[in-house]
Amino acid sequence: MNRLLQRYLVAVESSEVSGFEHLDMLMLRDKLAEQNQQLTARERTLLVAADRRLFEQASMFDAALSQITSLAYERSQRNPPPSHWWWYLDVMAGVPKTVQRAARRISPAASLELAR
């Protein structure tokens, strides 16, 4: 299995770590986005499941990240494309629960569009 994906899977499940480790997780996700075409079908399935967990726990991850940085600041420094929805956990955390439940049936990137 892809080593970056393995690290990302562990990071998404490790909710009780520091904001620094969560920031590293977001950077790992960037690298996985670059490697998406090289991932196997099984790896992509695992990635989607991990992404869903990250999306569903957006407010928890955002709270931990806010202890060390603001995602708005990180976006201003990194200038991620909108398709890199993981840099918008703060925005997603503010989405009403009813919209979040409906968004579980669609991609996190589409959910971000709903939040705007």
Side-chain angles (χ1 to χ4, degrees), residues 46-94:
L46 291 170
L47 179 60
V48 166
D51 281 349
R52 187 164 305 279
R53 175 158 168 77
L54 177 61
F55 169 72
E56 290 173 353
Q57 299 293 319
S59 58
M60 185 275 307
F61 284 104
D62 179 49
L65 285 159
S66 70
Q67 299 297 312
I68 62 152
T69 190
S70 109
L71 284 173
Y73 171 78
E74 293 297 329
R75 286 191 300 271
S76 74
Q77 297 300 301
R78 298 169 191 278
N79 200 26
S83 62
H84 288 204
W85 58 267
W86 45 93
W87 289 106
Y88 296 85
L89 293 175
D90 55 336
V91 175
M92 292 178 181

